[in-house]
Amino acid sequence: MPHVDARLARTLSPAGGKPFGVGEWRRGGLPEKGTRRRRIVAAVLFAGDIVSGTLAVVAAAVIVTVAAGQTNLIGRMQTQMWLLLLLLLGINCSLGLYRSNIRSPMERFRLRATATLLFVFAGMLMWIREGPSVELAIVPVIGMIAPVLGLWTEHLAGALLVKSGLHRAPTAIVGTGASSRALARLLLNRPACGLHPIGFIDDGTCSDDVVDVFVPRQDADSISAVLPVLGTLDGWCADAGAEVVIVPDCEDLPRDAAALYRLGARQVLVITRLGEFPTFGLQVRNADCFVALELNGQPSDYSKELKRGIDLVLALALLLLTAPIIGLLALTIKLADPGPAFYGQWRVGRYGRPIRILKLRTMYRDAEERLERVLVSDPELRKQWQRHFKLVRDPRILPHVGSLMRRTSLDELPQLWNVIRGDMSLVGPRPFPSYHMDAFDPQFKALRASVPPGLTGLWQISSRSNGDLDVQRAEDCLYIKNRSLWLDLYILMATLPAVVRAMGAK
């Protein structure tokens, strides 16, 4: 599938002064349905932050009360707790976290982190005026809890919005050429982008009323979607239902800039392809005669010692917390199918070295023989296996306990020991078996071997088993070329919602 990164889209704005086509903009207006959709999205996101913010404030107050040993502390802090909640919501709102705009989850996480830092700074100033006290500690504690709970509730709210269809803004694509059709394929196949293509705008090169878009599906056979040609740049207006207009390439920009604004869309986006360059954290720079994207250069990969230190501290803590769960699951496995509850599996590690990762057994002891019999007897399942290296109804899986562990990824908890040993990191591309790695091209295999494999990664919080080889390649490339402390923190926080939702797990 041709790769077009919607995260690189930038919003066009008039050069200054009175916007182009302002008369046409007001005359066409925006559909009431679009305004209602955006208000619902904003309300759902705001409600989620009210819940997460309240929980963060209450949890912080309880922690400070227990630590201080003062039972009446919460009663004295009730007014301040409400003020802190309003301050947190106000800063989130001022930074645009509740606006219906095009931002990647990583960008939203950075905004949320910035809002939290501002909250801690403003909260400390507000409270310290009354003099130092034990209550002052509640502000930084809220600052540590709020981003995590906020991210989790945002994921839940986003899942509800995607399921209802409200998350996606109706989108018109300029042109009907190869780049326009590639963009339509991407948006149809990736609802999480937040854009729903409703048709094309003829730029003078199309003679048909409809355009066929071949859409490869991740979980089924490919389909052909038919999208209409909505009109021309000169004669069409967004009152037909589009909130966003996208130009798929800078080269496709019309000579008359006013033509785009006369369309009356709420947003006009231009896609910029950066190829192999890192794309997270790009900055738009406006000069007198041009607009530029400031690149970040090489991936930071921050300090190896810092990454290793975070891995050790968190892995040790998580292993101690999950040890009772691992023991209970091991006992259940033995009851379901007598034999060892743990097993080691050889995977490809950093620099291509083989590593033996630990897992709880989710399959029958004769799993490979069961798989071979099924693949020989059913060509469709063999085709599914060759594409995903997974089966929807896998005959090898232990009933109940095996399905539960694979759906929730609990079978991978013993790999915390691999992280402690240094074979793996908490965040990175998942370690694949050699037969899975052989399905990729040599260039990607070399790129993947340049970083340590991870217990969780970008693919695990987005596609997981729903993604075929192309999707796995795209997600892993995106992580490796943009790796940073911010991205690792985001992936760690987003892993729990993905596991709870059992997204793409098989």
Side-chain angles (χ1 to χ4, degrees), residues 185-264:
R185 281 195 294 271
L186 174 70
L187 298 182
L188 287 170
N189 216 20
R190 300 289 292 272
C193 287
L195 299 169
H196 175 61
I198 61 173
F200 298 93
I201 302 174
D202 183 13
D203 57 357
T205 62
C206 182
S207 58
D208 298 324
D209 295 330
V210 295
V211 177
D212 286 333
V213 180
F214 179 75
V215 184
R217 307 294 292 178
Q218 297 176 2
D219 53 358
D221 293 333
S222 299
I223 62 172
S224 181
V226 178
L227 295 178
V229 177
L230 303 172
T232 64
L233 278 172
D234 296 327
W236 180 78
C237 189
D239 57 6
E243 297 180 39
V244 180
V245 169
I246 299 185
V247 182
D249 198 297
C250 291
E251 296 180 355
D252 297 327
L253 281 169
R255 292 184 179 180
D256 180 14
L260 288 173
Y261 295 99
R262 282 196 295 265
L263 296 175

Side-chain angles (χ1 to χ4, degrees), residues 17-29:
K18 186 177 180 180
F20 290 119
V22 69
E24 291 81 357
W25 190 299
R26 290 175 179 171
R27 184 164 58 249

Side-chain angles (χ1 to χ4, degrees), residues 347-349 355 357 415 424 428-433 437 448 453-455:
R347 300 288 180 94
V348 180
I355 58 173
I357 66 170
Q415 290 170 36
M424 297 170 57
R430 282 294 295 157
F432 283 151
M437 287 292 289
R448 215 174 188 274
L455 184 62

Side-chain angles (χ1 to χ4, degrees), residues 434-492:
S434 57
Y435 66 82
H436 198 148
M437 287 292 289
D438 289 341
F440 296 109
D441 58 272
Q443 182 180 5
F444 174 66
K445 288 195 289 186
L447 177 68
R448 215 174 188 274
S450 66
V451 297
L455 184 62
T456 184
L458 195 59
W459 178 49
Q460 280 65 45
I461 65 171
S462 54
S463 303
R464 293 183 77 184
S465 299
N466 286 336
D468 58 15
L469 294 178
D470 289 336
V471 175
Q472 293 169 15
R473 188 186 191 283
E475 297 285 1
D476 285 344
C477 282
L478 189 63
Y479 170 77
I480 294 170
K481 294 171 183 176
N482 293 276
R483 58 191 183 275
S484 65
L485 177 59
W486 278 110
L487 184 55
D488 278 9
L489 290 176
Y490 167 72
I491 291 173
L492 284 173

Side-chain angles (χ1 to χ4, degrees), residues 31-295:
E32 183 182 350
K33 181 180 178 181
T35 303
R36 187 163 57 246
R37 184 195 69 82
R38 293 193 303 276
R39 287 174 179 171
I40 293 174
V41 170
V44 171
L45 294 175
F46 184 67
D49 265 11
I50 290 177
V51 174
S52 64
T54 302
L55 290 175
V57 171
V58 172
V62 171
I63 291 172
V64 172
T65 298
V66 172
Q70 300 181 19
T71 56
N72 63 338
L73 196 59
I74 293 181
R76 298 204 316 262
M77 292 191 301
Q78 284 187 5
T79 302
Q80 291 91 332
M81 288 167 62
W82 281 109
L83 290 175
L84 289 173
L85 176 60
L86 291 175
L87 177 64
L88 179 63
L89 294 174
I91 294 176
N92 287 347
C93 184
S94 66
L95 291 184
L97 278 171
Y98 310 129
R99 295 175 193 160
S100 179
N101 49 20
I102 310 304
R103 279 202 177 98
S104 71
M106 180 61 191
E107 288 178 298
R108 292 185 60 83
F109 172 67
R110 294 183 72 144
L111 270 181
R112 190 174 290 279
T114 301
T116 303
L117 291 175
L118 291 174
F119 163 78
V120 172
F121 179 71
M124 296 286 281
L125 287 179
M126 180 179 69
W127 212 308
I128 206 168
R129 291 173 58 186
E130 301 178 7
S133 64
V134 69
E135 292 94 332
L136 186 64
I138 191 175
V139 178
V141 176
I142 294 174
M144 290 186 289
I145 299 174
V148 180
L149 294 181
L151 181 66
W152 289 350
T153 55
E154 184 177 296
H155 271 255
L156 177 60
L160 295 175
L161 290 170
V162 169
K163 188 175 182 179
S164 66
L166 293 169
H167 176 66
R168 307 176 72 188
T171 302
I173 301 173
V174 174
T176 57
S179 57
S180 299
R181 292 195 298 272
L183 177 60
R185 281 195 294 271
L186 174 70
L187 298 182
L188 287 170
N189 216 20
R190 300 289 292 272
C193 287
L195 299 169
H196 175 61
I198 61 173
F200 298 93
I201 302 174
D202 183 13
D203 57 357
T205 62
C206 182
S207 58
D208 298 324
D209 295 330
V210 295
V211 177
D212 286 333
V213 180
F214 179 75
V215 184
R217 307 294 292 178
Q218 297 176 2
D219 53 358
D221 293 333
S222 299
I223 62 172
S224 181
V226 178
L227 295 178
V229 177
L230 303 172
T232 64
L233 278 172
D234 296 327
W236 180 78
C237 189
D239 57 6
E243 297 180 39
V244 180
V245 169
I246 299 185
V247 182
D249 198 297
C250 291
E251 296 180 355
D252 297 327
L253 281 169
R255 292 184 179 180
D256 180 14
L260 288 173
Y261 295 99
R262 282 196 295 265
L263 296 175
R266 179 174 174 266
Q267 285 181 298
V268 180
L269 307 175
V270 178
I271 301 295
T272 304
R273 295 176 178 83
L274 290 181
E276 301 297 318
F277 288 97
T279 57
F280 286 162
L282 291 175
Q283 299 292 324
V284 178
R285 303 303 182 195
N286 289 280
D288 290 338
C289 55
F290 61 85
V291 176
L293 293 178
E294 181 180 340
L295 303 180

